[in-house]
Amino acid sequence: MGPDPQPPVARHRLELEEPATRFVDRFLIGNGTLGTALDGVPGREGIDLSLDTLWSGGPTRPDGASPPRSAHSALASVRRAIASDDPPAADARAAALRGTTFTESFQPLGRLTVDYASPDDGARTRRTHDVARGVVETRSTWSGRAATLTAFVSAPDEVLVVEMAGDGVREPMLGFQTPHPSTTTEDAVGDIRWWSSTGRAPSGVRPSYLGGDDHEAVRYATDVPDADGLVDAGMAWALMIAVQPIPGGFRLVAGARSGHRGWNERPLGDPSSLLARTRTTVARALRRPADELLARHVADHRSLFDRVELDLSASASASADAAERYFDLGRSLLIGSSRVGGEPTNLQGVWNTQVRPPWSANFTTNINLQMAYWPAESTGLGGLAEPLARFIGELVTAGRSTARDAYGLAGAATHHNSDLWRHTDAVPLDAHWANWPSALPWLVAHLHRHLDDSAADHDAQVAVLRIVEPVVAFVLGMLVTDDDGSLVVNPSTSPENRFVVGMGTSAAVAAGATMDQELVHECLRDYLGLAERVGAGIADVDLVGRAQGAFDALRLPRIGHDGALLEWAEEHEATEPGHRHLSHLYGLYPGTRITETGTPEDFAAARCALRQRLEHGGGGTGWSMAWVLCLAARLREPELASHALDALLGPLSSASLLDLHPMGDLDAVFQIDGNLGGTAGVVELLVQGHGGVVSLLPTLPAAWSAGTFRGFRVRGAHVVDVEWRDHRPVAATLQLTAGDVIVELPDDGSTITIVGPHGPCQPELATGAPTGRRRIVLRTRGVHELAFSA
């Protein structure tokens, strides 16, 4: 006989029997500001601590000054090389458009160890992450004794809480290691033990991808804070911990703060005020009973997590159950890493253990930051994108100098990397990495989507218009008239890819790369629509006129002789045909220009281009495969979607389902964007709302034979619930914010019964559905109940 079968894992939970020995296998919880990663070692918990605003460096240009550059001549020189059909020269000249500095690095606070029990070698342990409640638990039993550690990070109370209970628990011993120079103190007040640590972050960190481990790689300032406690770089931080006995065990309450005061403000270098404020926060939490702290945290977390629900358990499929857990974890990670008033989620969310983390754990704006927020609106978490919206506005402010000084253009520009200090210049790397000033046109698409998905008032629309107008101004300055009379972005690159020029020669800089053309088309389209909605006399009349003229003359991406959508304007051979970036497919996803019925030729060409990418090994990273999943959903290819899910949930996930970025001979690293892109992809498989059509169950994987979802949002702020069995819809509820909505359904021969806001109504068929689908029109706003019968 074999071993006893393991009971199925409860919904909304991750359960593992082994503690984590790598960062990527830990359970991650946070409150948007304080991030914690837990090992789950029985009797001795290791907790890695991070703060969203603890970064190296300081404001790069506190006085708004920039190093002088010959912007007009540099841009003109690059354009002359492109006009002369000399890509290598264009690459070389593009160096003059780059800055001289790199982004700073997101920093760890340190590692806390809590020694609270002494289980023997025969102990049985299970660690659990309840993603619906945002609670991690490690439960151990040995020799008739038991110990349970429960941890959560409370947003309402701004603290980490760790409770230890059971007859095997003893008074915990604490240890704290930080990579930064620090000072530690301990004291006791009554039955509460207090422990604190303070220090300063590095004044500068060389990105890890530049290599080198000399004394300049990590630099700490030795200056004394001024009379106001401020420094130019190397902010202070403070950690405060209290341990208190409670019935049946002990609880630990911890809080932390950094000296960050704003992206363009000198930070605090004196930790004394931070320590006092943090102690006050911890003391306030200690006055609450343990049950109350937990209840306040769970209520806050669930108020966000429960906005949508996906239940695939009726499919009776292990792969469907895993996909559901992945979807749930993604939402929990966003809740834990992005809250109103904080920083946007970075490459690793709000979790980090390294002074020189991969890619500086920065805000990478040529896919990763954007992908991290793909699921926000569709899963009812649009409010958690407030840090991103604020970040975009600050980048526009910071990026005005980059547009002016690097390009000699009006408006604002940002390149592929940014940080806490809102770095906007191109970094001093090769052109295929650095010379891509199109981050803002992509980022502002999130602002437009939020307006579409929320009941935004007029003031909110005007506020977005003011952010977008400098972006449009720069975009217009980047357009030139090509030989065929159409407008193209010049210069232009396809992020991080290059094309073959000749034997042994490649280049990156050209005119009219497909992604740039798509971004400009979307940016201008959305701006013109917004300018019309806000009403006359508000938008810049001259800018609107120029934008309309450019939109009408813009060249759309081309299709090659092999039927594939081109990555560049010409039929260049990519140096990496299996490149991880799928930039030329932007118009299919996350963009909305390419649709199956609206642009059938481009749709077929995008399908062909994706197949070519995958045939050459594309999708090799977690975030790249998440993009493949989203594209498969738009293409209505359930087999490809299942392949993408299998990869995401298999080799591209850790034991704790964290997304992995393989690093060759090095250990794979965690990147949160893959988790969140995968979460967005799950929604896209089940409901889509672009192109003026609400599409139900467009790309249902074979393993998802039955299930329900509730609360999914599509463009237009419509909310959709669906139940299905045997791959066929059974019931649906649509809360429509407008009338005359086209709804697309599987063409399965079922009879549709509709009860609208004013009672039963007959289905009204609409034309234009693709093969295998049918369309109806719902004429009135409000709640519509649809039932399907064979």
Side-chain angles (χ1 to χ4, degrees), residues 588-589 607 610 626-642 644 685 688 698-699:
L588 179 63
Y589 189 93
R607 187 194 306 276
L610 178 58
W627 202 347
V628 171
L629 175 64
C630 295
L631 292 165
R634 290 281 173 94
L635 290 169
R636 290 202 299 123
E637 291 196 16
E639 296 84 3
L640 178 57
S642 296
L685 296 175
Q688 298 172 18
T699 315

Side-chain angles (χ1 to χ4, degrees), residues 119-409:
D120 58 34
D121 292 340
R124 299 186 64 180
T125 300
R126 179 173 290 269
R127 59 186 180 112
T128 304
H129 185 182
D130 185 336
V131 296
R133 298 167 70 239
V135 176
V136 167
E137 180 180 278
T138 300
R139 184 182 298 270
S140 304
T141 57
W142 70 98
S143 303
R145 310 187 76 182
T148 300
L149 179 142
T150 304
F152 57 91
V153 187
S154 170
D157 292 295
E158 303 179 272
V159 290
L160 162 68
V161 179
V162 181
E163 295 183 5
M164 297 145 279
D167 55 9
V169 169
R170 52 174 164 73
E171 184 171 4
M173 295 183 292
L174 305 184
F176 181 71
Q177 291 183 316
T178 177
H180 314 302
S182 61
T183 300
T184 300
T185 64
E186 296 182 56
D187 67 287
V189 179
D191 63 352
I192 301 175
R193 292 164 46 209
W194 290 90
W195 189 97
S196 70
S197 183
T198 57
R200 285 177 65 178
S203 59
V205 172
R206 180 190 299 151
S208 59
Y209 53 78
L210 295 180
D213 197 24
D214 56 83
H215 68 280
E216 288 295 315
V218 179
R219 304 178 301 280
Y220 286 93
T222 58
D223 59 326
V224 177
D226 66 16
D228 296 318
L230 306 181
V231 293
D232 290 334
M235 69 176 67
W237 55 265
L239 171 67
M240 179 63 71
I241 301 171
V243 176
Q244 178 186 49
I246 58 174
F250 297 86
R251 71 168 171 174
L252 177 153
V253 179
R257 278 183 169 80
S258 81
H260 180 246
R261 300 173 56 249
W263 68 273
N264 56 354
E265 299 287 341
R266 297 172 69 220
L268 277 171
D270 180 354
S272 56
S273 63
L274 302 176
L275 192 62
R277 291 164 56 200
T278 306
R279 183 160 183 148
T280 298
T281 300
V282 173
R284 184 170 58 243
L286 287 171
R287 290 194 290 269
R288 297 188 185 276
D291 290 347
E292 182 182 343
L293 276 178
L294 177 60
R296 284 165 56 83
H297 160 71
V298 171
D300 169 74
H301 186 89
R302 295 212 74 138
S303 71
L304 298 165
F305 186 87
D306 290 343
R307 292 182 181 180
V308 302
E309 172 77 358
L310 171 64
D311 186 352
L312 298 176
S313 58
S315 294
S317 161
S319 63
D321 291 344
E324 180 187 318
R325 283 193 292 275
Y326 197 81
F327 172 78
D328 289 339
L329 175 64
R331 294 185 294 128
S332 188
L333 290 173
L334 186 59
I335 292 168
S337 64
S338 183
R339 291 293 190 106
V340 173
E343 286 296 300
T345 183
N346 63 49
L347 280 176
Q348 296 181 177
V350 68
W351 299 278
N352 179 32
T353 63
Q354 298 173 268
V355 173
R356 300 176 71 192
W359 301 285
S360 304
N362 63 19
F363 305 114
T364 303
T365 52
N366 65 6
I367 174 59
N368 311 91
L369 177 61
Q370 291 90 335
M371 180 180 283
Y373 285 92
W374 282 355
E377 303 295 339
S378 61
T379 61
L381 299 176
L384 299 186
E386 183 274 339
L388 177 67
R390 181 165 29 84
F391 175 81
I392 294 168
E394 291 166 353
L395 284 183
V396 168
T397 300
R400 288 180 180 273
S401 61
T402 295
R404 179 190 68 235
D405 299 335
Y407 295 88
L409 298 177

Side-chain angles (χ1 to χ4, degrees), residues 31 54 86 105 192 243 256 342 426 441 517 553 609 678 692 744 768:
N31 62 3
L54 187 62
D86 191 350
S105 296
I192 301 175
V243 176
Q517 298 300 117
E744 188 176 283

Side-chain angles (χ1 to χ4, degrees), residues 328-606:
D328 289 339
L329 175 64
R331 294 185 294 128
S332 188
L333 290 173
L334 186 59
I335 292 168
S337 64
S338 183
R339 291 293 190 106
V340 173
E343 286 296 300
T345 183
N346 63 49
L347 280 176
Q348 296 181 177
V350 68
W351 299 278
N352 179 32
T353 63
Q354 298 173 268
V355 173
R356 300 176 71 192
W359 301 285
S360 304
N362 63 19
F363 305 114
T364 303
T365 52
N366 65 6
I367 174 59
N368 311 91
L369 177 61
Q370 291 90 335
M371 180 180 283
Y373 285 92
W374 282 355
E377 303 295 339
S378 61
T379 61
L381 299 176
L384 299 186
E386 183 274 339
L388 177 67
R390 181 165 29 84
F391 175 81
I392 294 168
E394 291 166 353
L395 284 183
V396 168
T397 300
R400 288 180 180 273
S401 61
T402 295
R404 179 190 68 235
D405 299 335
Y407 295 88
L409 298 177
T414 296
H415 294 79
H416 88 296
N417 276 341
S418 192
D419 59 14
L420 185 74
W421 313 109
R422 308 313 186 231
H423 187 282
T424 58
D425 279 356
V427 298
L429 291 175
D430 288 347
H432 66 296
W433 302 106
N435 287 99
W436 184 77
S438 300
L440 285 172
W442 190 346
L443 285 166
V444 297
H446 288 258
L447 303 182
H448 290 293
R449 174 71 194 270
H450 184 68
L451 291 179
D452 287 345
D453 282 6
S454 63
D457 59 22
H458 187 259
D459 288 346
Q461 293 178 336
V462 172
V464 170
L465 183 82
R466 297 300 181 224
I467 293 173
V468 171
E469 285 189 326
V471 180
V472 171
F474 179 77
V475 160
L476 294 176
M478 289 293 287
L479 294 174
V480 301
T481 303
D482 206 9
D483 292 340
D484 62 1
S486 60
L487 291 178
V488 295
V489 179
N490 186 343
S492 176
T493 63
S494 189
E496 302 186 21
N497 208 358
R498 300 174 66 85
F499 54 87
V500 175
V501 176
M503 187 67 67
T505 306
S506 65
V509 179
T514 292
M515 185 184 213
D516 278 344
Q517 298 300 117
E518 293 282 14
L519 287 171
V520 170
H521 180 274
E522 180 180 71
C523 183
L524 297 179
R525 180 198 67 193
D526 292 348
Y527 168 65
L528 292 168
L530 180 58
E532 182 177 359
R533 291 198 303 277
V534 300
I538 297 176
D540 183 318
V541 175
D542 176 68
L543 189 67
V544 169
R546 293 167 55 212
Q548 185 65 65
F551 182 76
D552 294 339
L554 190 70
R555 178 202 290 167
L556 292 177
R558 293 168 165 171
I559 299 172
H561 289 96
D562 58 359
L565 197 68
L566 295 180
E567 185 164 358
W568 295 274
E570 309 299 331
E571 293 201 53
H572 294 303
E573 176 188 352
T575 57
E576 293 184 61
H579 200 276
R580 59 199 170 277
H581 282 256
L582 302 163
S583 307
H584 53 316
L585 302 181
Y586 181 94
L588 179 63
Y589 189 93
T592 60
R593 185 188 68 82
I594 298 176
T595 65
E596 187 170 7
T597 56
T599 56
E601 291 184 358
D602 285 353
F603 189 82

